[in-house]
Amino acid sequence: FWGPYQTLADETERAVTTFRMFRGDGSLNVEAYDHSLEGLVRTQGRALVFLNDPSHNPTGYSMDDREWTELVSVLLNRAKHAPVTLLVDIAYAAYGSPKHRDFARHLLPLFGHVQVLIAWSASKAFTHYGLRVGALLACVADSTDRADVQAGLTYSCRGTWSNCNRGGLYAVTRMLTDEALAKSVIAERNSIGAMLTKRVDRFNACARGKLDYPRYDGGFFVTVFAKDATQSAAQLRERGVYVVPQEGALRVALCSVPEREIDTMVSAIEDVVT
């Protein structure tokens, strides 16, 4: 998972509970997810669930329709026993496969049973990566409850990171409201997305059958499983290939690898992890 989730929990004196993400066949381990969520509901009487989808960071995995349906069923079942909040982190959704961009329809059965939050990264979606501008959308039907949620979030935000980056906020607002700029940024984002898709396709063509990694069809990153990730990363550095070692895996940033270099990169990774 994305490491700063742990930092967020640490800063608020909370803990993170995880589950084994994949089954042996590479599909999402819904049973492990249910078991972990059941434990939280039973021991603490509530749960906040983070799902980073589509284009999960760091694996690049995107859930399919069946997996979303199964996860929603688990949430609804556990929400019968205690309050459950689902936060869907869609930071990289704009750069994933188009077939996963209609994921929001799977959230509809949750309304009225599970509190739904969506974390959106404007700085990524509008190619202003370093400006750190985003939004948290709370899906609350009742106007009174909505006002309470807004007041609570406003108070909390003011006490943690204060205010949004003013320059980035102004730029994103203009790109949303100025018709000419909106068309321009959409064209630019589509061009970047097309370039990334070519890299993803090339990686899959080169790595399939050679590397052990989750289903990958979009997003900035992919994760390659490795028994000794730290040692593998060190060996790759000596060959001019830079990856991020994690527990049992290497995070590979396809967003920074030109298509022409992917074959060489895959061969180097294959050499050190097999």
Side-chain angles (χ1 to χ4, degrees), residues 82-146:
V84 175
T85 297
L86 170 67
L87 185 146
V88 186
D89 183 346
I90 62 168
Y92 295 95
Y95 302 99
S97 171
K99 66 184 179 181
H100 297 301
R101 292 181 190 168
D102 64 344
F103 72 93
R105 60 189 171 86
H106 294 291
L107 304 178
L108 294 176
L110 297 175
F111 294 154
H113 305 283
V114 173
Q115 172 64 68
V116 177
L117 305 173
I118 297 176
W120 173 63
S121 173
S123 49
K124 294 182 181 68
F126 286 88
T127 69
H128 280 58
Y129 203 97
L131 288 180
R132 297 301 183 187
V133 177
L136 181 65
L137 298 100
C139 304
V140 185
D142 182 79
S143 59
T144 301
D145 291 344
R146 188 162 59 248

Side-chain angles (χ1 to χ4, degrees), residues 94-95 101 120-129 131 168 170-194:
Y95 302 99
R101 292 181 190 168
W120 173 63
S121 173
S123 49
K124 294 182 181 68
F126 286 88
T127 69
H128 280 58
Y129 203 97
L131 288 180
Y170 175 74
V172 170
T173 300
R174 282 198 62 195
M175 288 186 286
L176 283 168
T177 57
D178 184 302
E179 185 176 352
L181 282 177
K183 290 180 179 179
S184 178
V185 76
I186 289 172
E188 180 179 339
R189 184 168 55 233
N190 288 343
S191 174
I192 293 171

Side-chain angles (χ1 to χ4, degrees), residues 18 24 36 66 165 229 253 272:
T18 60
S36 183
R66 177 185 58 79
N165 179 303
V272 303

Side-chain angles (χ1 to χ4, degrees), residues 199-222:
R199 296 178 183 182
V200 172
D201 292 344
R202 187 61 197 166
F203 176 86
N204 284 322
C206 296
R208 193 173 289 115
K210 298 178 181 179
L211 304 179
D212 184 14
Y213 64 99
R215 183 178 68 231
Y216 179 49
D217 50 25
F220 283 22
F221 310 104
V222 65

Side-chain angles (χ1 to χ4, degrees), residues 68-87:
W68 262 114
T69 299
E70 291 177 353
L71 287 179
V72 165
S73 177
V74 168
L75 284 165
L76 288 171
N77 184 46
R78 297 307 170 191
K80 295 176 183 177
H81 307 285
V84 175
T85 297
L86 170 67
L87 185 146

Side-chain angles (χ1 to χ4, degrees), residues 18-23 28-38:
T18 60
F19 65 96
R20 187 173 184 85
M21 187 171 176
F22 298 109
R23 300 187 182 102
L28 194 71
N29 195 334
V30 179
E31 294 81 9
Y33 161 80
D34 186 25
H35 178 75
S36 183
L37 181 57
E38 188 275 334

